Amino acid sequence: MRTQFCPEIDTDANPRFPVYADGNFGEVAPDRISPLSWSLIGDPVEAGVRRVLRRLLPGATWLTGSHYLFVGYYGAKPYHNISAFCHAARHVPCLAPEDVMRAYFEDGPIPPVPADPVPLNRRLAAVPRFIRELGRTRAASVDLEAETLLLALHAKESDPATVARRAVSLLGEAWERHYAVTLMLVPVTTLQSALGTWCSRHWDELGLWVNRPRELVWDTRHDGATVPEANDFLARVGYEVADDLPPWSQYGRPSVPVDGENSPMTDTAIVEALGRPWEVLPFARPLLLPQLSGLVRDLLQLREFTKYLAMRVLHVLRGVLPELARDRAVPGDGWPYLTIGELLSGRDPHRLVPARRAACEDALALDMPGLLDFAAARESAGASATSRPRGVSPGQVDGFVVFSDSWKEGRWRITMDGQPPVLVCESADVNLKSLLPHAAALVTARGSVLSHIAILAREHGIPAVLGHPVAKEVREGQLVHVNGSSGEVNIIASQD
Amino acid sequence: MHRKTDGTVLESIQASYQRVTRQQRQLRDDDRIAEDLSLDSLAMMELLIEIEDRFEVALFDAPQAQQVETVGDLVELIQNVREAA
């Protein structure tokens, strides 16, 4: 098997950690992204994750080297290095690689990790560092928001190169904070689940209710916003900064604005009970389970907040990069084929465009798999051939199937025969946030327990099942039963 | 019974609280930390870390930390940990 698909643009496969998956990219980022967008994600994410882990695991020699450790870019498709993330899990007490795979990578098969055991004392030493990192991340994110808003406010009146350089610096911080929270969420939720399961055999469902985050940043910052820039941001929330240029525009996931009545389906009695779950779990308080659950909710909220910050900075870059490209004499649609470093360096970057464009055309013609194992010469279509559906937001509802494209094209209906709509799609992220208040339930073919759409579904209080194969089988108009607690989705009737 | 706590410690906690929350607010001994101070879990953690750094004490490990409910309890905890050190 090739170790590179398009040598002109691909990153090199890591020789020690050879397994990659598109999980948590595949349902978030566009399926393919331009080299420029990759340079705004891959490099800062790599640097940010290394900085975080060096603080948490000082002296870890495996966190060095010139190969990308945690991300990869093959055939114009972004990947996470799941072997490296699973290896990091081994250094944290109460955490195992399968916890990472379940939380973020669609419960896929665990990649081989180095066999040398990590001493217990070294694992335990990471605990106080985790606590300090938790305490540090919130404050840093609040400061970062102020910087981000200032950048957005002054972008139009400043020199594009200056804005771009500042944006790249802030983007690095935003990704670092986002991955810091993402990394810390796994051991905290794993510990919570262990304690919760000890308290109650119904914890699997109870935990979904308890882990409902408070109001998320997408609404608190933009609900009713009348500032044009803010509305433009919400309409183009995504990782691809060249989303209005072909061929990258066809891979984008545009946000879907929608007008219409809400179709609230949340069981108010259960929602009210959310505040009192500890009354039915007598052993929960001494175990600090309520406090731990509060921490989970706050971390979920912070995760969305840090992602929001990264998206805001990307949106600023979306606005200045075309002008910067003109200043650098790069042809009109050529700038997405350069990296941000090349565009800012000012050293005749336009000469690189023809070869990169050709390489990207070759790359986009490839059918890139969801899983890449460069050691075993193995690839497969999805992150896991045996991934199982997961209920990620509790509740049950019957409703008729509507695809997100129907909403976009205005063919949706509020109800059909008195039944509410169930939104069904391949994968979902913030781009579908505007539809959630109108949906009775959500079913996707891809996604993980801690993915963004799971957090959003819980925040909106709608039942959600991710990773269910029926999402690819149903037809629009069919009546389905969705159980967001058990993960079951059943077709009840077909539309005649 | 009116509790008399160290005013200096209380002032320092107040300074830390204002830095973390960016709010100007007078803290009282009988303020309940969980209910009255409007701190989520991460802000609470940030506050405790700042207090640990400011007073050079370890609060997360202190057994008495489990009984802290009010600002006055926190002041007493800091005083006790510093004296024991």
Side-chain angles (χ1 to χ4, degrees):
Chain A
M1 180 177 171
R2 293 170 291 183
T3 55
Q4 283 186 322
F5 294 82
C6 291
E8 178 72 29
I9 58 173
D10 283 4
T11 56
D12 290 327
N14 191 292
R16 192 175 175 210
F17 301 102
V19 185
Y20 296 77
D22 67 354
N24 235 315
F25 267 143
E27 67 268 21
V28 174
D31 189 49
R32 305 296 181 91
I33 58 174
S34 61
L36 195 138
S37 291
W38 166 251
S39 70
L40 296 174
I41 299 170
D43 286 340
V45 166
E46 178 72 26
V49 174
R50 289 196 190 202
R51 281 196 296 272
V52 172
L53 285 177
R54 282 196 195 115
R55 289 196 295 270
L56 297 175
L57 311 170
T61 54
W62 63 278
L63 289 170
T64 56
S66 58
H67 287 92
Y68 281 94
L69 258 175
F70 296 103
V71 290
Y73 182 59
Y74 304 101
K77 187 175 173 71
Y79 290 85
H80 278 111
N81 187 319
I82 55 175
S83 353
F85 279 108
C86 287
H87 182 60
R90 298 171 65 237
H91 293 75
V92 181
C94 307
L95 200 62
E98 50 263 37
D99 299 317
V100 172
M101 295 304 295
R102 185 184 315 116
Y104 287 122
F105 300 117
E106 299 171 290
D107 217 356
I110 302 166
V113 291
D116 48 308
V118 180
L120 179 62
N121 61 328
R122 197 188 301 172
R123 290 168 67 115
L124 289 174
V127 173
R129 294 191 208 105
F130 264 83
I131 293 174
R132 287 203 157 256
E133 191 70 24
L134 281 172
R136 188 181 293 129
T137 298
R138 177 195 160 278
S141 302
V142 170
D143 291 339
L144 189 56
E145 185 186 23
E147 297 290 331
T148 302
L149 291 175
L150 278 174
L151 178 76
L153 206 57
H154 297 293
K156 286 201 169 92
E157 64 212 35
S158 305
D159 164 57
T162 304
V163 172
R165 286 197 177 87
R166 180 65 181 141
V168 167
S169 172
L170 291 179
L171 193 59
E173 287 185 50
W175 284 128
E176 179 180 340
R177 299 300 159 203
H178 181 65
Y179 273 79
V181 181
T182 299
L183 287 169
M184 288 185 287
L185 250 180
V186 186
V188 175
T189 50
T190 301
L191 180 61
Q192 181 205 32
S193 179
L195 293 173
T197 305
W198 189 83
C199 286
S200 167
R201 59 193 168 94
H202 301 295
W203 179 257
D204 275 352
E205 175 162 4
L206 190 59
L208 294 178
W209 291 105
V210 167
N211 287 346
R212 179 178 166 171
R214 292 176 289 134
E215 198 174 26
L216 296 180
V217 64
W218 308 100
D219 293 320
T220 59
R221 295 299 192 274
H222 294 282
D223 190 27
T226 57
V227 177
E229 186 273 336
N231 291 334
D232 182 54
F233 163 65
L234 289 179
R236 295 172 74 184
V237 175
Y239 288 8
E240 177 58 70
V241 291
D243 58 350
D244 59 349
L245 289 177
W248 314 106
S249 52
Q250 66 175 304
Y251 298 103
R253 298 178 188 274
S255 291
V256 182
V258 66
D259 297 317
E261 297 176 11
N262 282 3
S263 130
M265 292 300 297
T266 307
D267 186 322
T268 53
I270 295 177
V271 171
E272 285 171 5
L274 263 179
R276 305 188 303 275
W278 315 116
E279 294 178 2
V280 301
L281 295 179
F283 306 112
R285 289 195 185 279
L287 294 176
L288 301 180
L289 192 53
Q291 291 86 342
L292 194 56
S293 299
L295 179 59
V296 170
R297 286 196 296 274
D298 292 335
L299 283 173
L300 290 171
Q301 187 170 8
L302 187 57
R303 183 161 181 251
E304 287 303 296
F305 181 55
T306 51
K307 180 181 174 180
Y308 161 82
L309 294 177
M311 297 294 110
R312 285 303 302 267
V313 177
L314 282 173
H315 191 63
V316 169
L317 284 164
R318 189 176 278 122
V320 304
L321 286 175
E323 191 178 344
L324 179 62
R326 283 193 293 275
D327 291 349
R328 297 285 193 264
V330 177
D333 62 348
W335 58 268
Y337 299 96
L338 302 171
T339 67
I340 187 63
E342 289 163 350
L343 198 55
L344 284 171
S345 69
R347 289 194 292 269
D348 299 328
H350 57 273
R351 63 184 170 76
L352 299 170
V353 171
R356 293 269 179 82
R357 190 192 299 269
C360 285
E361 283 174 8
D362 293 341
L364 296 178
L366 297 172
D367 187 15
M368 293 301 297
L371 181 74
L372 291 172
D373 185 342
F374 290 103
R378 175 171 62 97
E379 58 183 72
S380 64
S384 166
T386 59
S387 62
R388 60 188 179 94
R390 285 196 169 272
V392 298
S393 182
Q396 297 186 52
V397 73
D398 294 345
F400 69 98
V401 172
V402 176
F403 298 132
S404 56
D405 284 346
S406 295
W407 247 300
K408 190 170 63 176
E409 295 167 10
R411 291 189 284 114
W412 69 293
R413 288 164 287 181
I414 297 174
T415 64
M416 187 176 78
D417 298 330
Q419 300 290 345
V422 172
L423 179 60
V424 178
C425 49
E426 163 83 16
S427 60
D429 191 45
V430 177
N431 61 308
L432 294 186
K433 187 196 77 67
S434 59
L435 300 183
L436 295 183
H438 308 273
L442 172 70
V443 179
T444 70
R446 303 200 60 177
S448 305
V449 172
L450 292 181
S451 61
H452 296 283
I453 197 60
I455 297 172
L456 289 169
R458 284 198 289 274
E459 196 267 333
H460 283 281
I462 65 169
V465 177
L466 307 189
H468 204 296
V470 81
K472 294 185 180 178
E473 299 164 3
V474 291
R475 296 192 310 278
E476 201 155 64
Q478 284 183 309
L479 194 62
V480 294
H481 174 79
V482 179
N483 187 325
S485 304
S486 67
E488 293 172 5
V489 180
N490 301 308
I491 299 173
I492 302 173
S494 294
Q495 183 189 23
D496 290 329
Chain B
M1 184 173 76
H2 176 69
R3 163 189 277 162
K4 184 173 170 59
T5 53
D6 188 324
T8 307
V9 173
L10 182 60
E11 282 172 13
S12 296
I13 293 174
Q14 172 137 343
S16 296
Y17 174 83
Q18 289 175 348
R19 201 201 70 76
V20 168
T21 63
R22 300 167 204 225
Q23 291 176 23
Q24 296 291 327
R25 180 196 162 136
Q26 284 294 114
L27 296 184
R28 298 189 304 260
D29 285 342
D30 56 356
D31 279 335
R32 296 166 300 170
I33 293 173
E35 290 86 357
D36 298 332
L37 298 192
S38 304
L39 295 169
D40 65 22
S41 59
L42 293 169
M44 177 77 71
M45 214 168 279
E46 187 185 344
L47 177 64
L48 289 176
I49 289 171
E50 165 131 347
I51 290 173
E52 281 193 338
D53 290 342
R54 190 184 280 262
F55 291 101
E56 297 180 345
V57 295
L59 296 178
F60 283 103
D61 298 335
Q64 312 94 301
Q66 297 296 322
Q67 280 79 48
V68 169
E69 291 188 3
T70 67
V71 171
D73 293 340
L74 180 59
V75 172
E76 267 192 44
L77 173 65
I78 293 169
Q79 289 168 336
N80 293 338
V81 171
R82 286 171 98 189
E83 283 166 12

